[in-house]
Amino acid sequence: GIDVDYWCPHKRLKPFRTSYLWLQRWHPVRGAPLVIELARRTGIHLIMAGTDPSEDHPTQAAYCQEVQRMAADVPNIEFVFLPTADGAHQDAIRELYRNAKAVLYPTQFAEPFGLGQVEALACGTPVIGTNYGSVPEVLQHGVTGIVCENSVNAFEVALKYGPAIDPQACRKDAVERFDRRVMAANYLEAYKDVLNGRGWGG
């Protein structure tokens, strides 16, 4: 679960959201080529954000450079590198979520959960993601985001429906389903079912 008191929208007047956000590790399973091609085709302002890879992460550094080369001819893509200090790192992520029109989440594998999805929702930001792994379970299609096929064409169509998503619905769903207090209570109930012989999830 997440701390929805921390992951929350701006308390002040909400800024005018104009950019889409891809915020991930620098790794091929995170779908960078898909969002780059999407930005190339549509002209959306896309922020691609991640931690600045250091010498401690040579594989991520190499892939980050590859992603930058892929995007070199797309002027509407902006790269943002996050600070590494714990507090500043989380604050920077929250600010990006708060200011994004939507988070693009083109995961390329059966991701078990995907914390970034619920952090974004708690900040009142819809998510557009592939129909892999947990994404169809985390997102309420058409309510808190758009779940689509793993293609640039599908994401391009999803962009047209994104503006209809209500930020307050995103926030409400995150608070009701993914707040750490709610999830802890649900885990306890699941454990009691097991201890009382009612099985795992059934």
Side-chain angles (χ1 to χ4, degrees), residues 1 73 86:
D73 65 333
D86 286 344

Side-chain angles (χ1 to χ4, degrees), residues 63-107:
Y63 190 67
C64 177
Q65 291 171 0
E66 183 180 339
V67 169
Q68 289 177 295
R69 285 193 294 271
M70 286 186 227
D73 65 333
V74 191
N76 43 304
I77 292 179
E78 175 186 353
F79 285 88
V80 172
F81 294 103
L82 304 170
T84 54
D86 286 344
H89 182 80
Q90 294 297 97
D91 287 351
I93 290 173
R94 182 176 61 177
E95 198 65 14
L96 287 168
Y97 284 146
R98 286 172 164 179
N99 294 333
K101 196 170 185 179
V103 169
L104 302 181
Y105 203 83
T107 186

Side-chain angles (χ1 to χ4, degrees), residues 1-200:
I2 61 169
D3 180 359
V4 297
D5 296 326
Y6 177 81
W7 299 102
C8 60
H10 282 289
K11 296 295 189 291
R12 63 181 186 274
L13 185 65
K14 187 174 68 176
F16 185 62
R17 301 183 181 203
T18 59
S19 302
Y20 289 87
L21 174 65
W22 177 95
L23 197 164
Q24 298 285 355
R25 284 186 300 119
W26 302 106
H27 192 283
V29 299
R30 297 300 174 180
L34 189 154
V35 296
I36 290 170
E37 182 57 29
L38 181 67
R40 181 181 285 114
R41 285 192 195 180
T42 63
I44 59 170
H45 180 223
L46 173 64
I47 293 175
M48 298 191 74
T51 303
D52 192 359
S54 66
E55 294 180 3
D56 295 332
H57 300 91
T59 304
Q60 287 194 47
Y63 190 67
C64 177
Q65 291 171 0
E66 183 180 339
V67 169
Q68 289 177 295
R69 285 193 294 271
M70 286 186 227
D73 65 333
V74 191
N76 43 304
I77 292 179
E78 175 186 353
F79 285 88
V80 172
F81 294 103
L82 304 170
T84 54
D86 286 344
H89 182 80
Q90 294 297 97
D91 287 351
I93 290 173
R94 182 176 61 177
E95 198 65 14
L96 287 168
Y97 284 146
R98 286 172 164 179
N99 294 333
K101 196 170 185 179
V103 169
L104 302 181
Y105 203 83
T107 186
Q108 300 295 297
F109 73 112
E111 188 164 10
F113 185 57
L115 204 57
Q117 298 178 85
V118 297
E119 291 171 349
L121 295 179
C123 291
T125 303
V127 178
I128 300 173
T130 48
N131 57 354
Y132 287 174
S134 68
V135 177
E137 297 174 48
V138 172
L139 301 182
Q140 294 190 50
H141 181 68
V143 178
T144 63
I146 306 293
V147 180
C148 54
E149 297 292 328
N150 183 36
S151 72
V152 179
N153 287 343
F155 271 72
E156 189 171 358
V157 171
L159 292 180
K160 299 174 183 176
Y161 294 97
I165 302 295
D166 181 2
Q168 292 183 1
C170 297
R171 169 70 181 170
K172 182 174 183 289
D173 186 60
V175 170
E176 292 178 351
R177 295 172 64 207
F178 302 113
D179 173 56
R180 58 187 178 178
R181 291 157 292 204
V182 171
M183 291 192 73
N186 289 341
Y187 273 116
L188 285 174
E189 289 302 313
Y191 295 150
K192 287 177 185 176
D193 284 347
V194 174
L195 291 172
N196 291 326
R198 289 192 287 271
W200 296 89

